[in-house]
Amino acid sequence: MIYSITSSIDATLYEEFETKNSGLDEVLQLVKIISSSKTNDTYNSRILTKFDLTHISKSINSGDIKDTFVSTLKLYTHRAEQLPYQYSLKVYAASQSWEMGIGRDDHNPKTTEGVSWKYRDGDSTGTEWHTSSVAIPFATGTTGSLSTQTTPGGGTWWTGSDISQTFTYEASDLSVDVTSIVRPWLSGSWDGGPVLDNEGFLIKRTD
């Protein structure tokens, strides 16, 4: 038996516009942008998507879903442009909470309330993602982008949750087995380790 659920909240984080929120966009984007004004600057985006697992948990406890279940994350391509013949995407368990927001990519002026590359909850509240800086360092067992590699921010994730999919001359729909993330979410910890809350998936290009 197959149970299909859709995400309850999601958003794209844009490095180029670090405070822009896109929580209401129907399409999530993974892009690499070469700045036209600064030829040496490259900007990426990342995806955050979260699923409500309450019904799944209850169904497992009641026996409607076997505890040997397998979970697959699927994202379908709307439009793909200028893809290399081979590339990989990474999926992680996000390690910090975030607010979806009510922005769209085409809003002018840009909506800055809700999750963005810089903030977890919006410009006015101003809760920044943990970074490699001394002021707001990564929590134990988590990481994110190093400030020397990219613009500080862009989400944080559990280091032990790395799942990847490589594409070689093929369609760009994402389909990965995320059972190793979903099971700890339902049990509440990594193999008896730190408490693990469901903060959703973070999808990004490889470093």
Side-chain angles (χ1 to χ4, degrees):
M1 183 177 294
I2 297 175
Y3 285 80
S4 296
I5 59 174
T6 57
S7 62
S8 52
I9 57 174
D10 49 43
T12 302
L13 312 181
Y14 294 95
E15 184 179 9
E16 185 177 20
F17 307 104
E18 60 179 21
T19 61
K20 180 174 77 172
N21 173 261
S22 64
L24 290 187
D25 276 345
E26 292 82 1
V27 177
L28 302 167
Q29 298 189 67
L30 278 181
V31 297
K32 180 175 74 171
I33 300 171
I34 307 298
S35 173
S36 58
S37 59
K38 299 178 180 179
T39 56
N40 292 326
D41 285 349
T42 300
Y43 298 105
N44 290 281
S45 71
R46 292 173 183 164
I47 290 172
L48 283 171
T49 182
K50 182 176 178 179
F51 296 79
D52 185 349
L53 302 178
T54 304
H55 175 70
I56 300 298
S57 180
K58 290 180 178 179
S59 297
I60 292 172
N61 291 334
S62 67
D64 292 333
I65 296 179
K66 294 182 178 180
D67 58 8
T68 55
F69 69 90
V70 173
S71 299
T72 304
L73 175 67
K74 293 180 178 289
L75 278 76
Y76 299 98
T77 301
H78 172 65
R79 186 177 73 234
E81 296 178 344
Q82 298 179 326
L83 295 178
Y85 78 91
Q86 184 179 73
Y87 63 98
S88 298
L89 298 180
K90 295 279 190 178
V91 177
Y92 299 91
S95 62
Q96 292 183 272
S97 61
W98 48 281
E99 299 293 335
M100 183 174 79
I102 56 173
R104 292 185 183 276
D105 184 36
D106 60 359
H107 276 180
N108 188 14
K110 295 175 177 61
T111 300
T112 59
E113 294 313 308
V115 69
S116 64
W117 188 275
K118 185 174 183 179
Y119 298 114
R120 293 162 47 198
D121 48 15
D123 191 31
S124 62
T125 306
T127 307
E128 296 185 26
W129 293 102
H130 290 170
T131 67
S132 57
S133 70
V134 175
I136 44 176
F138 298 128
T140 301
T142 72
T143 190
S145 294
L146 301 178
S147 58
T148 55
Q149 294 176 328
T150 186
T151 305
T156 60
W157 53 88
W158 290 93
T159 56
S161 64
D162 182 358
I163 301 170
S164 63
Q165 180 174 349
T166 298
F167 302 85
T168 305
Y169 293 116
E170 60 184 307
S172 53
D173 292 343
L174 181 72
S175 179
V176 290
D177 185 336
V178 291
T179 311
S180 61
I181 293 177
V182 174
R183 286 187 183 279
W185 275 343
L186 294 173
S187 67
S189 69
W190 292 109
D191 296 325
V195 173
L196 181 67
D197 294 323
N198 173 14
E199 305 298 356
F201 298 101
L202 185 145
I203 300 102
K204 64 186 286 291
R205 295 162 55 86
T206 56
D207 293 338

